[in-house]
Amino acid sequence: IETNPILAQIADLKGRVESLGGIFDYATKRERLEEVSRELESPNVWDDPPRAQELGRERARLETIVSGIDTLTAGLADAGDLLEMAVADDDESTVLSIVSDLGKLDAQVSKLEFQRMFSGKMDS
């Protein structure tokens, strides 16, 4: 089983996800998501319905980015670990399944890269 191209694809995708994390300012967005979620849990937030609605929209936007990057990071880590085990077990069907999964992860990365072009205040 030739794994170098698969390992190269995993490394490429990890690099692209890291780059997206920087572009989207992942750490700040993750922190802000926690703040917004805490604020929305407060019963007082509903005293100001327009503010509550805006917080809800902000949480949805933040969750898209944060959960997207979290999912991709975990998926790529899992793919690397699974590939290592599949090679050790000489399990070609699992390797083919990993290749398929990487295609899906690549599509998700591309979708986030596209969203990056529309990340300004007026772009939503």
Side-chain angles (χ1 to χ4, degrees), residues 31-100:
E31 192 175 297
R32 178 65 184 150
L33 177 59
E34 290 172 11
E35 289 172 15
V36 169
S37 294
R38 275 194 305 271
E39 207 170 328
L40 282 169
E41 289 170 3
S42 165
N44 300 338
V45 76
W46 297 104
D47 294 342
D48 183 0
R51 171 81 176 133
Q53 289 175 342
E54 178 52 38
L55 285 171
R57 286 190 294 273
E58 182 180 3
R59 180 173 60 184
R61 286 190 304 269
L62 292 168
E63 281 178 340
T64 298
I65 294 166
V66 171
S67 69
I69 290 175
D70 286 348
T71 299
L72 288 167
T73 301
L76 290 168
D78 291 348
D81 293 344
L82 192 57
L83 181 63
E84 200 174 291
M85 289 187 289
V87 168
D89 294 342
D90 199 28
D91 183 352
E92 193 169 342
S93 67
T94 299
V95 172
L96 294 174
S97 175
I98 293 166
V99 169
S100 172

Side-chain angles (χ1 to χ4, degrees), residues 78-123:
D78 291 348
D81 293 344
L82 192 57
L83 181 63
E84 200 174 291
M85 289 187 289
V87 168
D89 294 342
D90 199 28
D91 183 352
E92 193 169 342
S93 67
T94 299
V95 172
L96 294 174
S97 175
I98 293 166
V99 169
S100 172
D101 291 346
L102 287 175
K104 294 172 190 165
L105 291 171
D106 193 340
Q108 290 174 312
V109 171
S110 295
K111 183 178 176 184
L112 273 176
E113 288 171 335
F114 180 76
Q115 287 177 341
R116 169 192 71 200
M117 293 186 282
F118 300 100
S119 59
K121 284 190 186 299
M122 303 304 290
D123 289 335

